[in-house]
Amino acid sequence: NKKAFVELLFWKSPAAVNEMTKGYSSLQEGEGTTRSRVPPWTPQEEQELQELYWKYKEMEGGDIIAAILAHLPTPGRTWRQVVKQLVRM
């Protein structure tokens, strides 16, 4: 690739470097990105999250997100994922 030097001017993740060396079509769809590892929120999970938020939003002296995580029926969600989803909603 004659223009690879331009690619070197910017910070790269290991997945991007692998793609550069093996060709830009070498990664399968969804591979190498952290977003693909996070399971998407289903409409049912979004509804449950919304209900838990309305239930705990008036809670004083505690972490609302921690309370939501404790009562969220889907295990494996992180604090950051819950906050990001609440902001998105």
Side-chain angles (χ1 to χ4, degrees):
N1 187 352
K2 294 179 183 179
K3 298 181 182 179
F5 65 92
V6 175
E7 292 280 359
L8 297 175
L9 296 174
F10 303 98
W11 182 259
K12 302 288 181 223
S13 68
V17 172
N18 186 31
E19 189 176 18
M20 283 175 54
T21 56
K22 293 185 179 181
Y24 287 102
S25 301
S26 65
L27 285 180
Q28 299 298 320
E29 187 173 325
E31 242 181 69
T33 60
T34 56
R35 293 176 191 243
S36 66
R37 295 181 196 145
V38 176
W41 289 81
T42 64
Q44 181 184 6
E45 289 175 325
E46 287 180 352
Q47 180 67 30
E48 292 168 352
L49 180 63
Q50 187 176 19
E51 290 171 6
L52 288 170
Y53 172 75
W54 287 108
K55 181 178 178 181
Y56 293 110
K57 78 174 192 155
E58 301 295 328
M59 186 174 77
E60 293 182 23
D63 186 12
I64 297 171
I65 306 301
I68 290 173
L69 277 172
H71 294 92
L72 200 61
T74 307
R77 294 288 183 186
T78 64
W79 190 89
R80 177 171 278 179
Q81 290 171 351
V82 171
V83 169
K84 190 173 182 177
Q85 185 65 20
L86 283 172
V87 168
R88 190 187 71 71
M89 290 171 44

